[in-house]
Amino acid sequence: MALRFFNSLTRRVEDFVPLTAGEARLYTCGPTVYNFAHIGNFRAYLFEDLLRRTLEYAGLRVIQVMNLTDVDDKTIRGARQAGVPLADYTRTYKEAFFEDLRTLAIEPAEHYPAATDHIPEMIALVRTLIDKGFANVADDGSVYFSIARFPRYGQLVNLRREQMRPTERVRSDEYVKDAAADFALWKAYSEEDGAVFWDSPWGRGRPGWHIECSAMSMRYLGRTFDIHTGGIDNMFPHHENEIAQSEAANGCRFVNYWLHCAHLMVDGEKMAKSAGNFYTLRDLIGRGGNGREIRWVLLGTHYRQPLNFSFQACRDAKAALQRLDDFVVRLREAQARSGPSDAAVAGLIADAESGFRAGLDDDLNISEALGALFNFVRDANRLLDAGGLVGEGATAALAALARIDRVLGVIEPGRQDDVPPGVAARARERQEARKARDFKRADAIREALRLDGWLIEDTPGGQRLKRL
RNA sequence: GGCGCGGUAGCCAAGUGGUAAGGCAGAGGUCUGCAAAACCUUCAUCCACCGGUUCGAAUCCGGUCCGCGCCUCCA
């Protein structure tokens, strides 16, 4: 079955046909490193991770670029307030960002270009746009893209200029522009920029926000590439502007498939730094959450649906993940037993993988994919109960789970809860007590261990210790 | 004013013309010394509301109500 994605450009689900067979070139809008990213931001990065892993699961080689916006109004303001050079200021948040990616088990992209490392490419692109007549140099040395010269402007968001509601920002705009909707490619130096500037043919200044994505995607992915993603709030103006710049400069199609994820909500409202209603990953971990639970919560809702974040969802995630972990533990134990497995095993495994795959292929329908996974868990558990899933059958089931988890990134089949010697000793003590049918003592030990964070489960094969 | 998204069980969430996946929580049961885990049974005669189309609609069409987003900071 072919991969299908909802393309924001056409507002339809379309079959994914890569430009180069067997390969997917992907540009994913990354963070502006002026602060810790919040989990709304991470919803987008997790959606992109799911996309990436799904492409890989489908057998495609992925070349992913995620930009780091390390020069813009907010980073400059932050650095000034902190009284440190821009690069020092942004380094902190770049490092935090990568640490958070690891916490969430997000697969690394092939390239993480920083805007400040690509100023020459941006200047070259701006120059091309001027040369081709799509941009104007203002008296102050700023350069603006003139949307009047690009008739297709507005295609992504269906906006018509005459129907736009003028906002405060536009009305108060002091820049010299032909039209209110024109946007800056290059911003002339102003005092507030402090030591942040680069020389350009138009004088000192810095790049506009949008130009970095056009310049860097071109450098790493080519003039035309397969997929561009971001949060829905980036559709306008950011992505619309990218299309205008890139297509005007290159005279060819910029991106074939645009995928946008919906917002993360909290208490029914969009989570945003500007609204102040946000949680960072660090906030949640401080409250006892862990990376894979948060990953599960943020991945569990289809990317085009608004996701209302709640602590209840985190608690539910813990239980669902425990079910998967326990299943893996049972399979590993069953693996050690020899004997024939039920004839149904191969079929169950095939159904699990094809169902999982079919869900993801259909515009990343994670709910359908997880439904297939949990059906497999139930059916396989039933066979495990009946002793019909052992040895090689269990090995095959574990292998299928591992393949599925290459996409999900949440199961921890390799996890060996290192049992501290003291805990192990007390567990042995309980075992002895049980053997002697001294259940009072056995239960006392079990309760004591529980309070220390360890759960003892008695199975036909002996005790099993689980970290709570 | 323009553009767009959504309203499915206690909570989360699929399903977009053929009679409601899955997860969490709950109830009863099997297993167990007791638990835990697992399994079984149960948990929406119904998909915001009102009309319409159809043999048949949560799914299509029209309307109403409610919630959310974008319209140059925003994932």
Side-chain angles (χ1 to χ4, degrees):
Chain A
M1 193 185 288
L3 279 168
R4 293 185 301 278
F5 298 126
F6 181 87
N7 189 349
S8 301
L9 206 52
T10 56
R11 294 172 198 84
R12 276 201 302 268
V13 176
E14 299 176 344
D15 284 348
F16 176 64
V17 182
L19 284 161
T20 304
E23 193 175 280
R25 293 177 173 255
L26 174 62
Y27 189 94
T28 51
C29 274
T32 300
V33 284
Y34 74 107
N35 203 335
F36 296 110
H38 59 64
I39 57 170
N41 302 124
F42 283 113
R43 184 198 186 182
Y45 307 138
L46 244 5
F47 142 65
E48 287 151 2
D49 187 50
L50 181 65
L51 172 63
R52 173 195 171 86
R53 289 166 176 261
T54 297
L55 291 166
E56 289 176 332
Y57 189 61
L60 295 161
R61 172 170 170 253
V62 174
I63 302 166
Q64 180 189 358
V65 176
M66 178 176 279
N67 64 300
L68 301 171
T69 300
D70 59 353
V71 54
D72 80 319
D73 294 350
K74 293 190 291 279
T75 45
I76 291 171
R77 193 190 316 131
R80 270 181 80 94
Q81 282 169 1
V84 298
L86 180 68
D88 291 350
Y89 181 75
T90 57
R91 188 178 306 116
T92 305
Y93 298 110
K94 284 179 189 171
E95 285 169 2
F97 176 68
F98 286 113
E99 197 180 308
D100 288 350
L101 291 186
R102 284 191 293 276
T103 300
L104 291 173
I106 291 175
E107 263 188 13
E110 279 62 31
H111 304 281
Y112 288 102
T116 53
D117 292 331
H118 296 77
I119 304 293
E121 286 91 333
M122 295 188 226
I123 288 174
L125 185 56
V126 173
R127 169 163 257 163
T128 300
L129 287 166
I130 294 170
D131 290 347
K132 291 197 173 186
F134 289 104
N136 306 319
V137 183
D139 292 341
D140 70 345
S142 291
V143 182
Y144 293 96
F145 187 94
S146 175
I147 63 170
R149 316 246 174 88
F150 191 76
R152 293 200 301 282
Y153 193 83
Q155 59 187 313
L156 189 60
V157 283
N158 233 352
L159 279 180
R160 282 182 302 175
R161 279 165 56 201
E162 60 276 19
Q163 287 167 161
M164 285 183 177
R165 165 170 287 181
T167 68
E168 198 57 39
R169 272 174 287 175
V170 171
R171 277 198 297 273
S172 65
D173 200 332
E174 293 169 9
Y175 289 120
V176 183
K177 300 196 279 188
D178 288 346
D182 286 357
F183 56 92
L185 297 170
W186 186 261
K187 294 186 171 186
Y189 181 77
S190 77
E191 287 304 317
E192 288 117 58
D193 294 343
V196 179
F197 63 84
W198 288 265
D199 288 317
S200 82
W202 318 286
R204 283 178 169 187
R206 59 184 170 98
W209 173 40
H210 316 293
I211 198 73
E212 67 176 72
C213 289
S214 288
M216 299 195 297
S217 64
M218 205 185 300
R219 163 150 174 199
Y220 295 97
L221 298 174
R223 294 180 165 202
T224 303
F225 56 94
D226 298 299
I227 304 174
H228 195 314
T229 67
I232 196 169
D233 51 359
N234 271 163
M235 284 177 84
F236 192 87
H238 186 50
H239 292 163
E240 194 68 58
N241 291 170
E242 280 184 52
I243 293 173
Q245 294 164 341
S246 296
E247 299 197 348
N250 295 328
C252 62
R253 178 75 171 252
F254 177 42
V255 169
N256 282 142
Y257 303 88
W258 286 89
L259 274 62
H260 291 97
C261 81
H263 287 299
L264 183 71
M265 319 286 284
V266 58
D267 297 328
E269 301 214 325
K270 173 184 167 185
M271 181 181 290
K273 284 179 185 164
S274 53
N277 62 343
F278 64 93
Y279 298 104
T280 64
L281 233 205
R282 287 126 204 277
D283 291 338
L284 297 187
I285 286 171
R287 289 185 179 219
N290 71 42
R292 70 175 190 140
E293 286 160 20
I294 295 163
R295 179 179 171 89
W296 184 263
V297 170
L298 298 183
L299 229 38
T301 295
H302 184 83
Y303 75 94
R304 285 192 285 119
Q305 292 298 327
L307 193 175
N308 199 287
F309 177 80
S310 70
F311 289 97
Q312 181 59 47
C314 293
R315 286 190 286 274
D316 292 354
K318 189 186 282 285
L321 288 169
Q322 186 64 248
R323 180 167 162 79
L324 293 177
D325 282 349
D326 286 351
F327 178 52
V328 170
V329 169
R330 289 192 78 188
L331 283 174
R332 293 170 77 95
E333 290 169 358
Q335 205 177 9
R337 287 193 285 280
S338 57
S341 285
D342 194 282
V345 169
L348 286 186
I349 291 173
D351 286 351
E353 284 206 81
S354 65
F356 184 75
R357 172 77 187 269
L360 290 174
D361 280 2
D362 184 15
D363 195 31
L364 306 179
N365 188 335
I366 188 74
S367 299
E368 185 185 333
L370 292 180
L373 172 60
F374 279 106
N375 281 334
F376 174 61
V377 173
R378 186 197 56 238
D379 293 344
N381 266 141
R382 189 185 300 147
L383 286 177
L384 283 166
D385 281 351
L389 180 47
V390 294
E392 288 176 15
T395 300
L398 280 168
L401 270 182
R403 283 190 294 273
I404 284 172
D405 196 53
R406 286 222 306 265
V407 179
L408 294 179
V410 293
I411 303 175
E412 297 181 350
R415 188 172 76 166
Q416 299 286 349
D417 287 326
D418 299 71
V419 181
V423 172
R426 282 191 285 168
R428 275 194 300 277
E429 232 179 281
R430 174 174 177 275
Q431 191 79 297
E432 294 304 314
R434 283 191 75 218
K435 226 174 259 173
R437 302 197 66 78
D438 182 356
F439 296 119
K440 202 171 166 186
R441 180 147 166 267
D443 290 351
I445 295 171
R446 181 170 62 191
E447 178 59 17
L449 282 174
R450 196 183 66 76
L451 292 173
D452 286 348
W454 292 87
L455 179 71
I456 294 185
E457 295 181 347
D458 296 316
T459 75
Q463 290 185 339
R464 183 190 288 152
L465 279 163
K466 271 184 359 194
R467 194 190 285 279
L468 288 172

